Amino acid sequence: MDALLAKVIERHGGLDRWNTASTLTTRLTYGGPFWAFKGRPDFDSTELVEADLHRQRIRHVQEGTGQVTEYDSDTDRVTVTAADGSLIDELTNPRASFAGYTGESQWTLAQAAYFRGYATWHYLVEPFLFTWPGVEAHEVEPWTEDGESWRVLRVTFPESLHTHTDTQLYHFDDGGLLRRMDYQPAVNGSSRVAHYVSGSTEVDGLIVPTRRRIHLRQDDRTPDLSWTPITLDLADIRIR
C-alpha cells in the first residue's frame, strides 16, 4: 500500500474498524444553483441517506415528500419512487444515457438521481474505497494553496466502479484529513471541479467529513471561488 494512503486510512479509523461496519446513514442537505440549472430544483433538498459501505448501493428518502431514489451498480439501475411505492422514473445502464451531453444539458429525474447517487456514495466510502481490488492509489507531487502544502494521491478506478472520472486527485493535510478533490464529471461535459472538504466528526471510531463545497476549477488548477454550484452538509451520522 502507498505510504500516504496507509497514513490516511489509519487517520480515518483503520481498515479493521472499517471492515466491521456495513452501513452509513445520515441526514444530508444538498444545496447550490447547480440543481436548478440542470432542470432539477427539487434536488435542492434534505434527504435521509443510507449507503452500503462494501458495495456501490445507496438510497435517498426526501424529507417532506417521502420520494425515494435508489442506485445499485450491481444491477446498473436507478429508480425513483413515490412515498406510496409507485414508480415515477427509472433507468437501466444510466451512464449511457448521458452520451453526447454537455455541461448545459438538462437532466431527467432518473439521470439526476444517478449522478447524485454514485457521487454521494463515493464521498461516504472514501478513502477506504482506495484499498478495493482494482483501485490504484499513488502519491504524486504536493499542492500548495493558501500557504499550506497538501500531499496528493492520484487514484484510478476500475470500470466496475461508477465515478466522476477514471482518475482523480485527492489532497490531504499534514494530519491525513482530506481537504480537496479534483475531477471532471464525464456526465456533465467533463467540467473541471475543485471539491473542498471541511469539518469532520468521529462516528464509532471512523472519521466522516461533514461539509463539502464544490467549485469550478481553472486550467492552472486554481479554483473559481466566486460562486458555489453545489453544497453538501451532513448531520445525524450513524454507522452500523
Side-chain angles (χ1 to χ4, degrees):
M1 182 184 295
D2 180 274
L4 174 56
L5 177 56
K7 175 181 179 177
V8 167
I9 293 296
E10 186 62 27
R11 178 66 179 87
H12 285 76
L15 275 178
D16 288 345
R17 173 64 188 97
W18 179 260
N19 288 334
T20 65
S22 60
T23 305
L24 185 151
T25 61
T26 182
R27 184 173 181 267
L28 205 164
T29 299
Y30 297 89
F34 174 83
W35 307 109
F37 181 75
K38 302 303 289 186
R40 304 310 323 174
D42 48 324
F43 276 53
D44 188 342
S45 60
T46 297
E47 310 271 337
L48 302 178
V49 177
E50 179 176 292
D52 189 317
L53 300 180
H54 298 286
R55 55 179 289 195
Q56 195 169 19
R57 181 173 62 182
I58 190 166
R59 183 174 191 263
H60 289 72
V61 181
Q62 189 174 72
E63 284 193 348
T65 69
Q67 178 177 279
V68 178
T69 62
E70 295 182 274
Y71 172 63
D72 187 336
S73 71
D74 286 354
T75 60
D76 201 16
R77 182 169 180 256
V78 58
T79 60
V80 184
T81 55
D84 64 4
S86 58
L87 184 66
I88 300 172
D89 200 6
E90 66 177 329
L91 271 175
T92 300
N93 188 17
R95 180 64 63 116
S97 72
F98 294 89
Y101 274 35
T102 70
E104 288 70 43
S105 300
Q106 299 283 283
W107 288 348
T108 67
L109 179 57
Q111 285 176 320
Y114 167 70
F115 170 80
R116 186 180 66 180
Y118 82 72
T120 301
W121 180 86
H122 262 262
Y123 306 155
L124 298 177
V125 177
E126 293 162 345
F128 297 97
L129 177 62
F130 304 161
T131 67
W132 282 27
V135 180
E136 298 180 5
H138 303 286
E139 186 170 7
V140 294
E141 64 277 3
W143 173 258
T144 300
E145 186 168 329
D146 291 335
E148 295 186 48
S149 182
W150 297 335
R151 295 175 69 180
V152 180
L153 270 179
R154 178 183 175 92
V155 182
T156 300
F157 300 98
E159 290 184 1
S160 57
L161 286 171
H162 289 235
T163 188
H164 291 309
T165 318
D166 290 345
T167 298
Q168 304 182 173
L169 297 178
Y170 294 81
H171 305 64
F172 297 92
D173 63 20
D174 288 341
L177 292 178
L178 181 63
R179 299 291 299 276
R180 169 175 160 171
M181 303 157 55
D182 288 2
Y183 50 79
Q184 301 86 236
V187 299
N188 194 43
S190 297
S191 54
R192 294 182 297 272
V193 168
H195 174 147
Y196 287 87
V197 178
S198 62
S200 62
T201 186
E202 182 176 334
V203 182
D204 292 335
L206 295 171
I207 300 297
V208 181
T210 56
R211 185 177 187 271
R212 296 173 178 270
R213 296 295 181 265
I214 299 172
H215 302 274
L216 295 181
R217 174 166 47 87
Q218 319 219 43
D219 289 343
D220 62 359
R221 291 177 60 189
T222 58
D224 176 4
L225 300 178
S226 64
W227 68 303
T228 308
I230 300 176
T231 65
L232 294 86
D233 293 281
L234 283 72
D236 303 328
I237 304 166
R238 293 180 174 84
I239 293 174
R240 301 196 298 272

